Amino acid sequence: MVLDLIKNDIEKNLDKNALLMALMAFIFTLIPVLVGQSTINNEIIMQILKSDSLVMLFIIFALELAKSTIVNDKISKRIEFILANGVSKNKIIINYIASLYFSTLIILAPSIVLSMYTMSLSIYLIFNMLITSLIYTLLIIYTILFITNMNKINRLQINFAVLHIIILSVSYITYIFTNVLALYFIIKALILIVFLILLGINTKNERIVTTYY
């Protein structure tokens, strides 16, 4: 049943709007190549900025795709129906992780390939982007499931964008003062994981099935 849910959600996500988003992301990634080299001389910083710009695109697109799956399922009481039929919360979350994560990656695939081959984005930073995006996927899912006032959904893209910028700023400041690149990634991951744990603890079944406007 879970595999069927994943398949259906991926098919729902990859519609004409997904093609448009993929094109927009590709153009956004292509602009620095067409304009030329940045004035930033530090190659490491440039690599990090490229990687984290892909994460920002991932967040924006994942939130948009989530509206037709998680948000719609919550509003229509589909999640409540699935829970009532014996499917556990963890299985539902696994379904959303797989469908949302892979759908968004498919949309961003041309941009990721472009970044690797024309902007010298290393495999290490691509791997970091994939792991960070996976954590953000979980955070998006738990946030939507946690929300009961569905009017707040429309502000999620701005909220997540601000959160991402704040986390990057804290991580970057840590890197500047320590000059230890590993700390940049560790601090970023730790902040996201703390948010994720807090949401996971407080997202009970009763809250998942509660919605109002």
Side-chain angles (χ1 to χ4, degrees):
M1 182 177 181
V2 174
L3 290 177
D4 290 335
L5 291 173
I6 293 171
K7 180 175 177 291
N8 290 336
D9 282 349
I10 290 178
E11 289 176 352
K12 189 186 298 182
N13 284 334
L14 298 179
D15 56 7
K16 292 180 180 178
N17 289 330
L19 183 62
L20 179 61
M21 285 190 284
L23 179 61
M24 290 171 58
F26 187 80
I27 293 172
F28 178 83
T29 310
L30 188 62
I31 288 173
V33 178
L34 298 176
V35 171
Q37 293 296 321
S38 170
T39 55
I40 299 176
N41 295 321
N42 191 319
E43 182 63 24
I44 295 176
I45 300 301
M46 275 303 301
Q47 291 279 310
I48 290 173
L49 289 176
K50 292 172 186 176
S51 171
D52 285 325
S53 66
L54 287 173
V55 175
M56 179 68 87
L57 285 173
F58 182 96
I59 293 168
I60 293 170
F61 291 160
L63 282 164
E64 189 61 34
L65 294 179
K67 291 178 183 178
S68 62
T69 52
I70 311 172
V71 175
N72 186 59
D73 290 349
K74 190 174 172 74
I75 293 172
S76 66
K77 302 295 183 180
R78 182 169 179 259
I79 296 179
E80 184 176 355
F81 174 79
I82 295 172
L83 285 170
N85 279 273
V87 179
S88 68
K89 180 183 77 173
N90 289 337
K91 286 184 178 180
I92 292 173
I93 290 172
I94 289 171
N95 159 55
Y96 287 137
I97 292 170
S99 60
L100 191 59
Y101 183 67
F102 288 113
S103 295
T104 311
L105 282 185
I106 290 170
I107 291 172
L108 284 178
S111 298
I112 294 172
V113 172
L114 180 66
S115 297
M116 290 178 65
Y117 288 99
T118 66
M119 294 194 290
S120 304
L121 198 61
S122 67
I123 297 295
Y124 174 74
L125 284 175
I126 290 293
F127 180 74
N128 168 69
M129 175 262 172
L130 294 175
I131 296 300
T132 305
S133 298
L134 179 60
I135 298 174
Y136 267 113
T137 301
L138 275 162
L139 198 59
I140 288 168
I141 292 167
Y142 273 107
T143 299
I144 293 173
L145 294 178
F146 179 80
I147 289 173
T148 54
N149 181 358
M150 304 311 289
N151 291 313
K152 294 181 179 179
I153 294 294
N154 294 327
R155 298 197 296 269
L156 281 184
Q157 285 180 327
I158 295 174
N159 292 342
F160 267 88
V162 171
L163 174 65
H164 184 56
I165 291 170
I166 291 172
I167 291 174
L168 293 187
S169 300
V170 172
S171 303
Y172 179 71
I173 290 170
T174 303
Y175 168 69
I176 292 298
F177 278 100
T178 63
N179 204 31
V180 179
L181 185 58
L183 277 178
Y184 175 89
F185 302 111
I186 291 170
I187 293 296
K188 182 169 62 173
L190 284 176
I191 295 173
L192 288 171
I193 289 170
V194 167
F195 275 109
L196 187 57
I197 290 172
L198 291 174
L199 272 172
I201 291 172
N202 291 285
T203 306
K204 309 296 184 183
N205 285 7
E206 295 77 13
R207 191 171 185 95
I208 291 174
V209 299
T210 303
T211 59
Y212 66 89
Y213 287 91

